Amino acid sequence: MSDSLGPAVSEVNSRLKSRLFPGSLIRWDRRRFSACVAAIAAAWMTVLGARYVVLGFADVRGGLGLGVDEGTLLSSAYAAGDVVGVVIGCWLATALSLRRVLLGATLLFMATSVLMAFSPPYAAQVIVRFAQGMAGGVLLPMAIVALLRTLPARHRALALALYISASTLAPQLAAAITGWLLDHWGWRALFLANLLPGIFALIAGFYGLPRERLRLRPLLHMDRFGMLLFVGGLGMLACAFDQGNRLDWLQATPIRVLLFAGTVAICGFIYHVVRVRHDRLLNVELLSRRNIVLGILGILPFSVAVTGCSYVIPQFLIQIHSYHPRELGAVLWDAGWPQLISFAGAVVCLDRKWLGGPRRLLVLGGVLVATGALHDSLNIDGSWEGGELRIGQILQGLGLPLILLPLLYLYVGDLLPREGLHAAMAFNVMRSICGTAGLAWVSTLDRVREQTRSNVLMDHVSTSSAAVSARLDALISAVSMRSSGSDQATEQALHLLASNVRLQSQILAHADTLAAIAVVTLIGAVLAAFMMPYGSGHPSSNVRHA
């Protein structure tokens, strides 16, 4: 009797599980799991590696024996290599297979990290840094394609969340890791730290990523002229955006030349690719779908939004309170741990179609990030330190995943499987260019607002003669004990007054920049409202999802 009840009990249990957890269980095998590990490790290695150098730039520049101008050229080389790598990597993947390209780019990223740690000559540093950026540009689109191919379609939100965590969560963790590495191992460790996730990516990818045959046609029949225009134009624009703030944009001839030549090359590529019927480098038919176009455009407000907690707040703490990267880690983590909650909630909402779908989540994310940036903008002052930024950081941490995850979810919902590499190329090209352009815009705005605020404050100082005289007298009396005479005491007092003006102008400039970030993020939230429901633009379906 009990034997006859066994199958019935098992069937009841399976039905109960399917009702309680509909579509939530993945039939994992070791190769599927290894492929996911490879993709995640490669993406995190890329983002962390780039972030280490940004946060520890002063130490890296000093260790390599470079001046400020020479150091910024290394940054431009990486930015140009990143966007070039996206195009070349997606093209090579159509011929050599995703497995070969991902593993090869991982090896290249690790090799260039080791070379940079051993301080090659300056010319070699620029070449190696460009190659490292190119490897990073290859890895990010390969990672998302690998995750989408590995996980079933019903777990698309989970695949995208694992990929996006590298863009939103990794930069927050990088500050603490950078400080620890600099304190214990020195600047070389910032490059050598890339070896650990790289080894994980290589081992897991070699075992888990599927083997595919070589396809020689994309290599033999490539659009060489289109490739030259696209890669050249993107590289020149990336260099112009990266160096624009330092050289004061159109006031410098190199920036004017780069912007003009890059724009002409991109326009030429668009005209060329529309006329080409076969072997296109980029599938322009994707741009006929609303969610694809709005998804690509939506990357720009996201790139601006992420600078609030990844650039403006660190700059405020470094300039005003002389924070070290080690001390930044605790502050930026306030924008990190809320993302774990936000990712989990967003994945569940997207899978179960709660809260009205991805468009409402996208709007909610924009509102949260804008509220956090505006909160910091209205309250920031010279007495603020890390702990007092917590509310704004938490709001931005909750909002960032709710921007990029639903945006990418709507983007891939209109794609056919064969369009994956073309779509990954378009998205990641915009990610790279908009990331560089967004940071350039924010840093330029911060600098210009500082200059404007400084001029206004100096005008008030010069016109308020009675107040200025009283303040100078107080400063002179304060420094007179450490001065050799009245003239030196007056000079020191004037220097302290000018320092106070500069300090206040920096604080007000950061507040203005955070307010501008809030406005841009809200504009992105409005843009999200015009996106179509998930899957409504899919070529093989006319079904309208709520």
Side-chain angles (χ1 to χ4, degrees):
M1 184 68 176
S2 60
D3 293 340
S4 62
L5 290 176
V9 173
S10 299
E11 183 177 355
V12 170
N13 288 335
S14 63
R15 288 183 179 180
L16 183 61
K17 286 182 180 180
S18 65
R19 287 181 179 273
L20 292 175
F21 310 103
S24 62
L25 300 178
I26 305 174
R27 293 182 179 178
W28 287 101
D29 57 52
R30 287 177 294 180
R31 293 192 181 275
R32 187 195 296 269
F33 179 78
S34 296
C36 288
V37 170
I40 297 168
W44 274 68
M45 175 186 68
T46 302
V47 177
L48 286 174
R51 190 69 178 155
Y52 292 155
V53 177
V54 171
L55 292 170
F57 178 71
D59 295 89
V60 171
R61 183 168 56 82
L64 294 173
L66 304 178
V68 175
D69 293 342
E70 293 171 323
T72 57
L73 290 180
L74 292 184
S75 172
S76 297
Y78 188 94
D82 182 72
V83 71
V84 168
V86 172
V87 179
I88 293 178
C90 292
W91 166 68
L92 286 176
T94 62
L96 303 180
S97 80
L98 185 146
R99 171 194 171 92
R100 294 185 180 92
V101 173
L102 190 146
L103 295 180
T106 302
L107 278 173
L108 179 60
F109 197 92
M110 294 169 65
T112 50
S113 297
V114 173
L115 288 175
M116 287 299 297
F118 285 97
S119 306
Y122 180 67
Q125 291 175 20
V126 175
I127 296 172
V128 170
R129 193 67 177 146
F130 176 84
Q132 188 178 36
M134 191 166 64
V138 171
L139 286 173
L140 287 177
M142 296 302 103
I144 187 173
V145 173
L147 285 168
L148 290 174
R149 287 183 181 180
T150 301
L151 294 174
R154 66 180 181 275
H155 297 292
R156 180 166 290 168
L158 176 61
L160 296 176
L162 293 173
Y163 168 75
I164 291 168
S165 66
S167 298
T168 60
L169 183 56
Q172 315 307 324
L173 295 176
I177 300 174
T178 300
W180 186 84
L181 291 173
L182 288 174
D183 287 344
H184 291 83
W185 302 98
W187 66 270
R188 286 186 171 86
L190 300 182
F191 293 104
L192 297 179
N194 297 325
L195 298 181
L196 181 59
I199 291 172
F200 274 107
L202 284 177
I203 296 174
F206 185 80
Y207 177 76
L209 291 172
R211 300 177 183 272
E212 301 174 52
R213 63 182 180 86
L214 290 172
R215 297 175 63 244
L216 296 180
R217 177 178 170 78
L219 291 176
L220 298 176
H221 299 277
M222 67 170 292
D223 181 10
R224 297 177 180 83
F225 183 64
M227 174 73 79
L228 180 63
L229 286 175
F230 199 32
V231 167
L234 291 173
M236 286 186 284
L237 289 178
C239 290
F241 292 145
D242 190 74
Q243 292 289 320
N245 182 46
R246 185 178 71 88
L247 299 178
D248 202 13
W249 293 101
L250 298 181
Q251 302 301 317
T253 301
I255 301 300
R256 293 198 298 268
V257 172
L258 287 172
L259 288 175
F260 177 77
T263 303
V264 169
I266 295 299
C267 292
F269 169 76
I270 294 172
Y271 176 76
H272 171 78
V273 79
V274 170
R275 296 183 61 199
V276 172
R277 298 299 179 185
H278 302 287
D279 303 313
R280 286 175 172 172
L281 184 62
L282 180 65
N283 184 4
V284 293
E285 294 175 358
L286 294 175
L287 303 180
S288 64
R289 304 169 202 168
R290 182 191 293 187
N291 280 2
I292 299 296
V293 175
L294 292 180
I296 291 174
L297 295 177
I299 302 172
L300 182 56
F302 170 79
S303 300
V304 173
V306 78
T307 59
C309 53
S310 65
Y311 175 79
V312 180
I313 295 301
Q315 284 293 106
F316 165 75
L317 293 174
I318 290 171
Q319 291 179 351
I320 308 303
H321 297 289
S322 303
Y323 267 48
H324 186 268
R326 178 185 65 258
E327 299 168 302
L328 287 175
V331 179
L332 298 186
W333 178 237
D334 285 333
W337 65 262
Q339 295 186 31
L340 302 175
I341 302 172
S342 189
F343 272 122
V347 169
V348 173
C349 289
L350 292 174
D351 282 344
R352 307 295 178 86
K353 297 180 175 59
W354 291 350
L355 297 182
R359 289 183 297 174
R360 291 185 181 179
L361 285 177
L362 185 49
V363 173
L364 175 61
V367 171
L368 285 173
V369 172
T371 303
L374 194 59
H375 171 272
D376 290 345
S377 172
L378 294 175
N379 293 280
I380 197 172
D381 58 43
S383 63
W384 265 44
E385 294 190 18
E388 295 165 301
L389 299 169
R390 181 165 290 121
I391 295 176
Q393 291 288 90
I394 290 175
L395 289 173
Q396 293 178 73
L398 289 172
L400 287 175
L402 296 181
I403 295 178
L404 193 53
L405 178 54
L407 181 71
L408 199 50
Y409 188 79
L410 290 169
Y411 181 84
V412 302
D414 284 358
L415 298 174
L416 294 171
R418 66 173 180 271
E419 298 170 333
L421 284 171
H422 288 276
M425 178 192 295
F427 188 88
N428 280 278
V429 162
M430 287 298 291
R431 170 200 59 78
S432 180
I433 283 292
C434 288
T436 306
L439 182 58
W441 179 77
V442 169
S443 59
T444 301
L445 177 63
D446 205 41
R447 174 178 59 83
V448 171
R449 292 305 301 167
E450 181 184 344
Q451 294 171 351
T452 303
R453 291 289 193 175
S454 179
N455 292 335
V456 171
L457 290 176
M458 290 302 296
D459 288 340
H460 282 288
V461 167
S462 61
T463 56
S464 306
S465 56
V468 171
S469 298
R471 179 61 175 166
L472 275 176
D473 291 340
L475 289 174
I476 290 172
S477 62
V479 301
S480 59
M481 298 297 295
R482 303 190 302 269
S483 304
S484 58
S486 59
D487 292 340
Q488 186 179 11
T490 303
E491 183 180 352
Q492 291 179 357
L494 289 172
H495 178 73
L496 288 174
L497 184 62
S499 298
N500 288 333
V501 170
R502 183 170 62 253
L503 182 69
Q504 292 302 317
S505 64
Q506 289 175 344
I507 294 171
L508 293 172
H510 293 319
D512 294 342
T513 304
L514 287 169
I517 290 173
V519 172
V520 172
T521 306
L522 287 176
I523 293 174
V526 173
L527 185 69
F530 290 93
M531 298 187 78
M532 300 293 289
Y534 173 79
S536 59
H538 196 282
S540 62
S541 175
N542 294 319
V543 179
R544 298 280 177 177
H545 299 276

